[in-house]
């Protein structure tokens, strides 16, 4: 059973900006383009998501650090490809008070060029490698495309960037695989389905040898890049003349990787599970997991209110994030409505009859199905339902994503699918850039790249030139 998802899909952009405010996630009315405010409820959601990311990184030997926000231009400019792409995307600080700086400073757009020269001071020999670091910081990008709350911002406030250094190309390649595994677990835990693709040469990260990207699909059929993992080879270490002493006493450049996510993942959680009533949050990251609503009848207000408070206490004692909505002069119906917008996974309704019969009525947010359990099974019942809901959300979202990945051997058909918001299309490609660009033109969209989550040999011919295909590639209209 699934609830109405008409507004959610047909007017997705409006749905998204309306829900951001109504659910009190973030307020982008701050008078500066691309900069927004995390509101208390949204901040908690963000925190639970970050907690998962930190745990996964800490478990795998990454260490958290904190680097300066400002990067002197000469550092940022060391790696030629990197600066070429990022120069126009930087906010530049040119003055302190009225004193013009000789060398201007960039507000970091990402931190390879801040971290590499410092790690160079810390690493002497092979014994110091690998070194795996990460930080969670604001980065600034002077985005010139239309900015969008959480999705394309100028101050990225939730940039988790990992930077790792290794003895060899192969070690770094294995690290890329570990990065991918960490992100898979992360997205599985927050119930966001994904496609993993190797970006084409013309769309890899500036300074990378290769880039793997995670994309999800929005309700209106566009792809959204929700994370990337880059093999940087020795591009940055060479640029900073960073060498280490090998076991044999030679000096070699370390190989590095970097991988990042941002608040886009919060947007992704909102967009993949929502419906016409509002957000639907996976229990493990929901700021409030259970909302308890008393249903008062004349004369028994006290009884149901007291019972509601008791239920909250018991749930809290079991580490379940529960709250009671005891507002007076607000009908239970309007309370349901408010908490449905906020996506609280489980609602407990407490009426006089529930109290009398020693029962608990649970309503799950995703399907609005109700179950009645014995009062003395409260904690177990809620835990069980949360787990079920979490798994159902993940499964439903994956099913939806899979239904929105198509195959075709005609560019017109691909264009039609993409125009009709049907999601991602996979086609055969000869591997020539020329044909890649023609595909992008033909569909007014993007080449997401070669699938690396499905191991499939290309069959047939390039959709453009008809030569034997070398790759399957995914294409989509991208955010
Ligand atoms: N240094 C590498 C790895 S940390 C890097 O900067 N990669 S990135 O450019 O691909 O950014 C990582 C992720 O941040 C992207 O995949 C995307 O999901 C997110 N991101 C990038 N720019 C923005 C933006 N302007 N607003 C919101 N999220 C963004
Ligand atoms: Zn071709």
């Amino acid at each position: 059973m699934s609830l109405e998802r008409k507004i959610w899909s047909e007017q997705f952009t409006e749905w998204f900006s309306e829900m951001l405010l109504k659910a009190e996630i973030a307020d982008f009315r701050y008078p500066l383009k691309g900069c927004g405010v995390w509101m208390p409820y949204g901040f908690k959601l963000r925190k639970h998501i970050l907690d998962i990311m930190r745990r996964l990184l800490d478990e795998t030997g990454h260490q958290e650090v904190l680097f300066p926000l400002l990067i002197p231009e000469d550092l940022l400019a060391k790696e030629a490809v990197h600066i070429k792409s990022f120069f126009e995307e930087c906010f530049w600080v040119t003055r302190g008070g009225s004193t013009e700086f000789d060398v201007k400073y960039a507000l970091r757009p990402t931190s390879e060029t801040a971290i590499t020269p410092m790690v160079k001071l810390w690493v002497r020999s092979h014994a110091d490698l690998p070194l795996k670091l990460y930080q969670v910081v604001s980065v600034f990008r002077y985005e010139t495309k239309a900015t969008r709350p959480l999705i394309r911002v100028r101050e990225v406030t939730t940039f988790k960037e990992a930077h790792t250094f290794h003895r060899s190309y192969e070690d770094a390649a294995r690290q890329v695989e570990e990065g991918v595994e960490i992100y898979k677990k992360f997205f599985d835990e927050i119930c966001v389905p994904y496609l993993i693709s190797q970006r084409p040469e013309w769309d890899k990260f500036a300074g990378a040898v290769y880039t793997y990207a995670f994309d999800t699909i929005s309700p209106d059929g566009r792809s959204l890049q929700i994370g990337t993992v880059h093999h940087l080879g020795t591009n940055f270490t060479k640029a900073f003349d960073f060498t280490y002493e090998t076991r044999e006493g030679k000096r070699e450049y370390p190989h590095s990787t970097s991988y990042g996510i941002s608040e886009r993942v919060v947007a992704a959680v909102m967009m993949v599970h929502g419906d016409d009533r509002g957000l639907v949050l996976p229990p493990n990251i929901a700021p409030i997991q259970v909302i308890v609503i008393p249903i008062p009848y004349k004369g028994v207000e006290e009884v149901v209110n007291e019972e509601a408070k008791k239920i909250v206490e018991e749930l809290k004692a079991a580490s379940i994030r529960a709250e009671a909505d005891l507002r007076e002069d607000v009908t239970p119906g309007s309370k349901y409505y408010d908490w449905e917008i906020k996506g609280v996974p489980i609602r407990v309704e407490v009426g006089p009859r529930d109290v009398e019969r020693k029962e608990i009525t649970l309503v799950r947010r995703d399907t609005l199905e109700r179950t009645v359990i014995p009062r003395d099974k409260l904690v177990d019942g809620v835990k069980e339902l949360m787990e079920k809901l979490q798994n159902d959300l993940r499964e439903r979202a994956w099913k939806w994503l899979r239904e929105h990945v198509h195959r075709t051997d005609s560019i017109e058909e691909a264009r039609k699918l993409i125009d009709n918001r049907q999601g991602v299309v996979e086609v055969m490609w000869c591997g020539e850039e020329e044909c890649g660009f023609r595909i992008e033109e033909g569909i007014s969209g993007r080449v997401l790249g070669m699938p690396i989550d499905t191991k499939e040999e290309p069959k047939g011919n390039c959709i453009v030139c008809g030569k034997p295909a070398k790759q399957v590639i995914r294409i989509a209209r991208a955010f």
Side-chain angles (χ1 to χ4, degrees):
M1 174 166 104
S2 169
L3 292 177
E4 203 55 66
R5 284 183 155 197
K6 199 165 151 53
I7 305 167
W8 170 81
S9 64
E10 288 179 9
Q11 295 153 347
F12 166 69
T13 311
E14 294 79 1
W15 179 93
F16 184 73
S17 37
E18 193 182 319
M19 288 309 153
L20 267 181
L21 259 185
K22 276 197 174 168
E24 299 180 342
I25 302 292
D27 192 340
F28 273 76
R29 290 173 298 180
Y30 190 75
L32 187 50
K33 187 176 155 73
C35 297
V37 178
W38 287 101
M39 296 170 76
Y41 189 74
F43 191 88
K44 287 188 192 102
L45 173 62
R46 171 185 182 272
K47 180 181 182 306
H48 292 309
I49 292 174
L50 278 177
D51 284 348
I52 294 175
M53 182 48 84
R54 282 200 165 90
R55 169 168 53 74
L56 291 171
L57 290 171
D58 294 345
E59 273 172 12
T60 46
H62 296 73
Q63 305 185 78
E64 190 165 358
V65 290
L66 189 52
F67 275 73
L69 167 62
L70 297 177
I71 305 181
E73 183 178 12
D74 51 327
L75 283 196
L76 194 75
K78 286 268 188 205
E79 209 288 325
V81 180
H82 192 66
I83 186 66
K84 191 159 173 273
S85 157
F86 274 109
F87 186 88
E88 288 296 330
E89 268 193 66
C90 283
F91 281 89
W92 292 100
V93 178
T94 58
R95 275 208 324 255
S98 51
T99 308
E100 290 282 341
F101 295 135
D102 293 336
V103 177
K104 57 181 182 283
Y105 305 100
L107 299 183
R108 65 179 159 225
T110 171
S111 301
E112 281 77 1
T113 57
I115 292 177
T116 310
M118 294 308 292
V119 169
K120 172 183 172 176
L121 304 176
W122 304 339
V123 168
R124 290 171 189 285
S125 78
H126 60 91
D128 300 319
L129 296 173
L131 184 62
K132 307 200 273 187
L133 306 174
Y134 75 97
Q135 61 179 3
V136 182
V137 294
S138 275
V139 298
F140 289 81
R141 291 187 182 180
Y142 183 66
E143 298 282 358
T144 46
K145 277 209 222 167
T147 57
R148 278 172 198 283
L150 307 191
I151 290 172
R152 182 169 290 106
V153 286
R154 284 183 168 177
E155 181 181 4
V156 186
T157 61
T158 313
F159 199 67
K160 186 290 297 167
E161 46 177 332
H163 297 267
T164 71
F165 298 85
H166 307 268
R167 297 178 192 178
S168 66
Y169 182 91
E170 292 72 27
D171 282 356
R174 274 189 289 276
Q175 190 57 41
V176 165
E177 299 305 322
E178 183 182 84
V180 167
E181 286 309 310
I182 290 169
Y183 282 6
K184 279 191 193 169
K185 282 191 193 148
F186 172 70
F187 288 118
D188 288 343
E189 286 202 36
I190 64 173
C191 302
V192 170
Y194 46 80
L195 300 167
I196 315 172
S197 314
Q198 179 170 350
R199 287 283 186 260
E201 281 301 301
W202 65 88
D203 197 28
K204 61 188 191 184
F205 178 70
V209 178
Y210 60 86
T211 289
Y212 289 166
F214 284 68
D215 297 287
T216 196
I217 304 176
S218 74
D220 61 359
R222 279 180 286 178
S223 66
L224 179 69
Q225 176 180 304
I226 46 174
T228 40
V229 185
H230 316 287
H231 194 310
L232 304 174
T234 54
N235 291 345
F236 286 90
T237 53
K238 270 191 183 148
F240 286 94
D241 195 26
F242 167 17
T243 60
Y244 73 98
E245 190 178 315
T246 66
R247 219 175 246 129
E248 296 75 36
K250 289 192 298 187
R251 297 216 69 89
E252 273 176 20
Y253 296 110
H255 290 253
S256 62
T257 79
S258 69
Y259 30 108
I261 54 143
S262 78
E263 49 261 60
R264 264 190 206 176
V265 304
V266 180
V269 168
M270 292 174 62
M271 68 167 68
V272 302
H273 303 301
D275 62 28
D276 289 1
R277 290 171 185 249
L279 305 188
V280 179
L281 296 177
N284 64 342
I285 52 175
I288 300 173
Q289 296 169 314
V290 179
I291 186 73
V292 183
I293 300 182
I295 323 276
Y297 284 89
K298 278 233 158 4
V300 290
E301 287 95 343
E302 265 316 291
V303 180
V304 288
N305 281 348
E306 285 313 306
E307 171 73 350
K309 284 188 213 162
K310 245 195 262 159
I311 288 173
V312 168
E313 268 168 40
E314 284 171 40
L315 291 173
K316 279 191 168 161
S319 300
I320 295 166
R321 298 189 285 273
E323 268 181 34
D325 186 347
L326 301 176
R327 285 178 293 170
E328 286 171 26
D329 307 322
V330 179
T331 63
S334 344
K335 291 181 183 178
Y336 297 171
Y337 176 85
D338 290 348
W339 296 108
E340 279 168 6
I341 290 177
K342 285 198 145 90
V344 175
I346 296 176
R347 171 168 93 217
V348 176
E349 300 174 358
V350 188
R353 265 213 293 183
D354 298 291
V355 182
E356 226 170 79
R357 292 185 185 169
K358 297 192 166 46
E359 284 174 353
I360 300 273
T361 302
L362 305 176
V363 183
R364 52 190 283 182
R365 170 62 184 87
D366 58 340
T367 59
L368 297 184
E369 271 169 315
R370 45 182 72 227
T371 27
V372 177
I373 58 169
R375 176 68 180 82
D376 58 5
K377 291 279 185 304
L378 171 69
V379 169
D380 289 346
V382 164
K383 280 191 176 160
E384 212 172 281
L385 187 58
M386 287 207 294
E387 203 179 305
K388 179 146 188 3
L389 206 156
Q390 178 91 17
N391 291 330
D392 289 352
L393 284 187
R394 185 185 307 110
E395 259 172 49
R396 207 176 305 140
W398 270 102
K399 182 166 174 286
W400 192 91
L401 179 108
R402 289 199 185 98
E403 288 166 2
H404 289 80
V405 179
H406 308 273
R407 260 307 152 89
T408 176
D409 51 16
S410 128
I411 199 89
E412 292 75 41
E413 174 72 14
R415 165 107 205 186
K416 232 182 264 163
L417 285 163
I418 286 167
D419 279 347
N420 293 332
R421 309 168 166 196
Q422 293 304 304
V424 170
V425 181
E426 294 177 343
V427 301
M428 295 299 157
W429 178 43
C430 63
E432 296 296 327
E433 275 198 14
E434 173 70 30
C435 287
F437 294 145
R438 289 255 219 102
I439 293 171
E440 292 195 333
E441 260 169 36
I443 61 157
S444 320
R446 284 280 271 282
V447 170
L448 302 180
M450 177 176 69
I452 67 152
D453 40 10
T454 53
K455 308 249 175 296
E456 188 195 337
E457 291 298 317
K459 282 191 287 288
N461 301 319
C462 172
I463 191 168
V464 180
C465 69
K467 287 193 204 131
K470 290 220 179 87
Q471 285 182 14
V472 179
I473 48 163
R474 293 181 170 137
I475 54 182
R477 196 148 300 155
F479 258 94

